[in-house]
Amino acid sequence: MATIKDIAKHVKLDISTVSRALNESPRVKESTKKYIKRVANKLGYQKNDIARGLATKKTNTIGLLISDISNPFFAELTKGVEYEANKKGYSVILCNSNWDPKKERDSIDVLKGKRVDGLLIHASMGLTGIYKKEYKDDKIPEVFLGNFFDHKDYDEFYYVSIDNIKAAHETTSYLISLGHRRIAHITGNITKDNKGYNILIDRLNGYKLALEEAGIKYNNDLILETSPGISSSCNITKEFIKEHKYVTAIFASCDIMALGVYKAIFDLGLKIPLDISVAGFDDIEISSLLNPKLTTYEQPKFEMGSAATKILLDLINGNKPEKKGLILKSNGLIKRESCKFLEH
Amino acid sequence: MATIKDIAKHVKLDISTVSRALNESPRVKESTKKYIKRVANKLGYQKNDIARGLATKKTNTIGLLISDISNPFFAELTKGVEYEANKKGYSVILCNSNWDPKKERDSIDVLKGKRVDGLLIHASMGLTGIYKKEYKDDKIPEVFLGNFFDHKDYDEFYYVSIDNIKAAHETTSYLISLGHRRIAHITGNITKDNKGYNILIDRLNGYKLALEEAGIKYNNDLILETSPGISSSCNITKEFIKEHKYVTAIFASCDIMALGVYKAIFDLGLKIPLDISVAGFDDIEISSLLNPKLTTYEQPKFEMGSAATKILLDLINGNKPEKKGLILKSNGLIKRESCKFLEH
DNA sequence: TTGTACGCGTTATCAC
DNA sequence: GTGATAACGCGTACAA
């Protein structure tokens, strides 16, 4: 593969001139620039970002650490990240932890080893605590996507999120306004695992708040915790419904879990919303294709990705935003068909 | 950030010894190895893959070029790629073309600039023709994911796929066996755009074959072409149904398009499968959650990704598989609820 | 078992 | 406007 040295030999100019020409330096004659480029082309020259990275200490690459690319929420978010990054000439290395704490931690090392210019992190439990101790010193710019360690860290890290408490509050209140009082909430393993699930904790708190306002006593038995996948959500919901027949509504902390709930209810021969109302969170594209269409709280997924990336690139280029946190606007609760008025 | 030079200074040994120790070279005393590693740890040393890459001409990174990460088919495939790559110590840089030919071409350059060790490509129209001319010479290992340029290239490139002709043939035949004769087929822009959609062409040919066997005349009006997204598929299907009321079944070339078809049919106030039967392709996870559950031809998505990656890593390490193409086994047609016997 | 010296392909800082 | 040369951080023959 041709290098600038090869080009230099061909055009009988110095390697440094070639470098400048290829980088559009103004301090090189237009004609020689053209000439050099033509030769470069002819030799099939391709820039070597590795060598350049070593010299400039920049890779024009950012790392994206998420939990599950199969979840359309993350897929959309990833698109937002890629869009914004590519627009500014950056590539993104994707790391999927698959909800595996060890993989999550390892990924950070891999990414740092590759000298990414910045990190975009949707943390799950893997990073809790440990992260802060280990990496606090040699910090590279990083922005968190909603989820990070602990609420205490809200003013220590950059992040992009929506107001999850408000969102869950609104959704739960809607269910209550329909007459529901026995409302279950299905969420991630927020108590079993470490912390690090602050967005889910926020949603749980929003749920609690709505209950409290309505004078409904919070019941811990109505909280289902499992990993955020369709089948795990389905299984736990099935068990749950069998033992808690009196529940009339289920609020899922993400649409993927709502899908599992749907499947569980169908499998048990029950009907949505006739027997049980279901509300979700995220508004992934297929939510409106389900039958019945899922009522869910929208998250600006693509925008979360692009906004976080924008901040990260600012950070990389030395521009610190005034506030650490960016709370995005949501389209709110999308009322569709999966929740109905509770008749007695 | 500490370098091996810093470590060398600390332990009062040569930088080369440090390098060897960190790379588990057998030619360095165990005790000094331990010592060096301890110091490295204390200094917070992190390996610099950029510098290493320059020295070794290896990046332990592969590039993955796909069309749309929002499509669960690609998400699953990506997971397979990541799984296999990570297992062997490779990272993957993801490039999403979003069906944009220009972006697709550009991505290849970016990836090569970053000196990835190999390329995994699900080509769409962007690479057709051009690709072969431009990059034929300085080839880096590459494996195609089902889709590539032209059927003529089948023995020129490495690829992993399923037998798409057989699959589409089987699916269409099933529809025919249910009594359907006016069967539409919705697919990508295979005639409008360039070639480069050989898997879709294969599926179309399987469809034609089945019709032919059944003595049904192929009708070009029943082929809908659009970009493989939910809303585009929905729109074109709506228009189509209005003008072709006599159609009793629609075979979609991927599940995402089947979703669009579902939406179109619902929006028109029709019922699946009562008014129109629908068959898909891929068997993405939500297919079985739809109401009615989608009948679809399964593709081993994760395995396609992992198998292709395995081949690519073999190629990278100098082991050429005997055959260029690997045809994976599928679980075949998953018969669910979206197709029914046609009554007269 | 450890040290020396060079190269990887580029950018950057001087000169001229 | 162009050239010479020293980095960048690491791996690796070749010596010792």
Side-chain angles (χ1 to χ4, degrees):
Chain A
M1 202 164 281
T3 70
I4 57 171
K5 202 185 276 177
D6 298 326
I7 301 176
K9 239 174 255 166
H10 266 256
V11 298
K12 296 196 199 311
L13 283 171
D14 194 86
I15 165 180
S16 57
T17 306
V18 174
S19 174
R20 280 188 285 252
L22 260 22
N23 286 312
E24 286 299 348
S25 162
R27 329 185 310 166
V28 66
K29 223 196 301 175
E30 271 307 320
S31 56
T32 57
K33 239 189 238 179
K34 296 277 179 224
Y35 177 41
I36 289 176
K37 283 185 189 169
R38 193 147 32 83
V39 173
N41 234 318
K42 211 183 71 187
L43 295 182
Y45 170 76
Q46 277 210 310
K47 70 172 163 35
N48 186 331
D49 286 330
I50 298 297
R52 169 180 294 193
L54 187 59
T56 60
K57 293 170 170 299
K58 268 219 63 180
T59 55
N60 292 308
T61 306
I62 62 176
L64 172 60
L65 180 52
I66 58 176
S67 309
D68 183 9
I69 191 66
S70 296
N71 185 327
F73 169 79
F74 288 113
E76 273 305 313
L77 189 148
T78 298
K79 271 184 153 176
V81 170
E82 264 220 308
Y83 172 79
E84 191 66 29
N86 292 342
K87 211 167 67 176
K88 306 268 177 61
Y90 285 76
S91 301
V92 4
I93 299 187
L94 174 71
C95 288
N96 230 335
S97 73
N98 286 316
W99 306 104
D100 176 355
K102 180 172 176 356
K103 174 127 196 267
E104 193 172 24
R105 281 193 300 274
D106 291 349
S107 296
I108 300 249
D109 277 333
V110 170
L111 257 13
K112 293 208 172 180
K114 293 205 182 299
R115 291 297 187 272
V116 293
D117 296 329
L119 241 29
L120 244 28
I121 305 176
H122 179 96
S124 63
M125 47 283 182
L127 266 26
T128 313
I130 301 166
Y131 187 85
K132 295 213 293 192
K133 285 174 217 138
E134 281 183 12
Y135 300 106
K136 196 68 178 302
D137 31 347
D138 53 57
K139 253 200 175 336
I140 67 173
E142 58 192 12
V143 176
F144 286 85
L145 298 158
N147 232 12
F148 46 102
F149 320 122
D150 209 328
H151 286 89
K152 292 179 303 221
D153 306 326
Y154 268 135
D155 43 61
E156 189 170 343
F157 297 99
Y158 289 91
Y159 67 92
V160 171
S161 186
I162 65 163
D163 187 336
N164 286 288
I165 298 183
K166 172 165 168 273
H169 174 271
E170 191 175 329
T171 308
T172 309
S173 294
Y174 170 65
L175 252 13
I176 293 173
S177 76
L178 292 178
H180 296 278
R181 297 185 66 83
R182 312 301 289 181
I183 305 169
H185 180 51
I186 179 167
T187 186
N189 291 308
I190 53 185
T191 60
K192 281 180 241 166
D193 292 335
N194 300 323
K195 310 163 186 172
Y197 266 131
N198 62 307
I199 57 173
L200 295 187
I201 293 174
D202 277 357
R203 288 174 203 169
L204 175 61
N205 284 332
Y207 160 86
K208 285 181 181 173
L209 202 63
L211 293 186
E212 194 181 322
E213 282 179 9
I216 301 171
K217 190 157 171 260
Y218 170 74
N219 178 355
N220 204 45
D221 291 348
L222 299 189
I223 307 301
L224 318 193
E225 291 187 34
T226 187
S227 71
I230 294 180
S231 58
S232 57
S233 305
C234 173
N235 294 336
I236 198 172
T237 305
K238 266 189 204 166
E239 292 310 310
F240 174 79
I241 292 181
K242 283 184 204 154
E243 294 171 17
H244 302 265
K245 297 226 165 68
Y246 54 87
V247 161
T248 64
I250 300 178
F251 168 34
S253 61
C254 67
D255 280 359
I256 280 296
M257 299 191 98
L259 287 177
V261 171
Y262 260 55
K263 186 162 163 46
I265 294 175
F266 291 153
D267 284 357
L268 292 174
L270 300 173
K271 293 226 179 324
I272 304 171
L274 196 66
D275 298 306
I276 300 183
S277 288
V278 178
F281 205 103
D282 285 348
D283 191 35
I284 59 179
E285 194 176 13
I286 51 166
S287 297
S288 61
L289 294 174
L290 294 174
N291 187 356
K293 293 175 182 165
L294 179 66
T295 288
T296 185
Y297 197 94
E298 193 258 359
Q299 284 210 75
K301 300 162 283 294
F302 185 95
E303 195 193 347
M304 286 181 66
S306 62
T309 306
K310 212 174 276 179
I311 294 176
L312 182 64
L313 298 187
D314 275 349
L315 250 23
I316 289 174
N317 295 313
N319 311 319
K320 290 193 193 289
E322 62 267 34
K323 342 160 259 169
K324 290 261 178 172
L326 173 60
I327 304 296
L328 260 25
K329 272 204 297 270
S330 151
N331 287 328
L333 184 65
I334 317 283
K335 295 173 190 170
R336 291 198 269 247
E337 307 166 348
S338 63
C339 302
K340 82 177 269 292
F341 194 79
L342 184 64
E343 326 207 1
H344 301 280
Chain B
M1 201 165 281
T3 71
I4 56 172
K5 201 186 277 177
D6 299 325
I7 301 176
K9 240 175 252 165
H10 266 256
V11 298
K12 296 195 200 309
L13 284 170
D14 193 82
I15 166 177
S16 60
T17 306
V18 174
S19 172
R20 280 187 285 253
L22 260 22
N23 286 314
E24 286 298 347
S25 162
R27 331 184 311 165
V28 66
K29 222 197 303 176
E30 271 306 322
S31 56
T32 57
K33 239 190 237 181
K34 295 278 179 222
Y35 177 42
I36 289 176
K37 283 185 188 169
R38 192 147 34 83
V39 173
N41 233 319
K42 211 182 71 187
L43 295 183
Y45 171 75
Q46 277 210 309
K47 70 172 165 28
N48 186 329
D49 287 329
I50 297 298
R52 171 181 295 193
L54 189 59
T56 61
K57 294 169 170 298
K58 269 218 62 178
T59 54
N60 292 309
T61 306
I62 62 175
L64 172 60
L65 180 52
I66 58 177
S67 308
D68 183 9
I69 191 65
S70 295
N71 185 327
F73 169 79
F74 288 114
E76 274 305 313
L77 190 148
T78 298
K79 271 184 152 178
V81 171
E82 264 220 307
Y83 171 79
E84 191 65 29
N86 290 343
K87 211 167 66 177
K88 305 268 176 62
Y90 284 76
S91 300
V92 5
I93 299 187
L94 174 71
C95 288
N96 231 336
S97 74
N98 287 316
W99 307 104
D100 177 354
K102 180 173 177 354
K103 174 126 196 268
E104 193 171 23
R105 281 194 301 273
D106 291 349
S107 295
I108 300 250
D109 277 333
V110 170
L111 258 11
K112 294 208 173 182
K114 293 205 182 299
R115 290 296 188 273
V116 293
D117 296 329
L119 240 30
L120 244 29
I121 305 175
H122 179 95
S124 64
M125 48 283 182
L127 266 26
T128 313
I130 299 167
Y131 187 84
K132 297 212 290 191
K133 284 173 219 137
E134 281 184 12
Y135 299 106
K136 196 70 178 302
D137 31 345
D138 54 57
K139 253 202 173 336
I140 68 173
E142 57 192 13
V143 176
F144 287 84
L145 297 158
N147 232 13
F148 47 101
F149 321 121
D150 208 328
H151 286 89
K152 291 179 304 220
D153 306 327
Y154 268 134
D155 44 60
E156 188 170 344
F157 297 100
Y158 290 91
Y159 67 92
V160 171
S161 186
I162 64 165
D163 187 336
N164 286 289
I165 299 182
K166 172 166 168 271
H169 175 270
E170 191 176 329
T171 308
T172 310
S173 294
Y174 170 65
L175 253 12
I176 295 173
S177 76
L178 292 179
H180 295 278
R181 296 184 66 83
R182 313 300 288 181
I183 304 169
H185 180 51
I186 179 168
T187 186
N189 291 309
I190 52 184
T191 60
K192 280 180 242 167
D193 291 336
N194 299 323
K195 310 165 187 173
Y197 267 131
N198 63 306
I199 57 173
L200 295 187
I201 294 173
D202 277 356
R203 289 175 202 168
L204 175 61
N205 284 332
Y207 159 87
K208 285 182 182 173
L209 202 62
L211 293 186
E212 194 180 323
E213 282 179 10
I216 301 171
K217 189 155 172 262
Y218 169 74
N219 179 355
N220 204 45
D221 291 350
L222 300 188
I223 307 302
L224 318 193
E225 292 186 34
T226 186
S227 71
I230 295 180
S231 59
S232 58
S233 305
C234 172
N235 294 337
I236 197 172
T237 304
K238 266 190 205 166
E239 292 310 310
F240 173 79
I241 291 179
K242 283 184 204 153
E243 294 171 17
H244 302 266
K245 296 225 166 66
Y246 53 89
V247 161
T248 64
I250 300 178
F251 168 34
S253 62
C254 66
D255 280 0
I256 280 295
M257 299 190 99
L259 287 177
V261 170
Y262 260 56
K263 187 161 162 47
I265 294 176
F266 291 153
D267 284 357
L268 292 174
L270 300 174
K271 295 226 177 325
I272 304 171
L274 195 66
D275 298 307
I276 300 183
S277 288
V278 178
F281 205 103
D282 285 348
D283 190 36
I284 59 180
E285 194 176 12
I286 51 167
S287 297
S288 60
L289 294 173
L290 295 174
N291 186 357
K293 293 174 183 165
L294 179 65
T295 289
T296 185
Y297 197 94
E298 194 258 358
Q299 284 210 75
K301 301 163 281 296
F302 185 95
E303 195 193 347
M304 286 181 66
S306 62
T309 306
K310 213 174 276 180
I311 294 175
L312 183 64
L313 297 187
D314 275 349
L315 250 23
I316 289 173
N317 296 313
N319 313 318
K320 290 193 193 288
E322 62 267 35
K323 339 162 261 169
K324 290 260 178 172
L326 172 60
I327 304 297
L328 260 26
K329 271 203 298 271
S330 151
N331 287 328
L333 184 65
I334 317 283
K335 296 173 189 170
R336 291 198 271 245
E337 307 167 347
S338 64
C339 301
K340 82 177 268 292
F341 194 78
L342 186 63
E343 327 208 1
H344 301 279

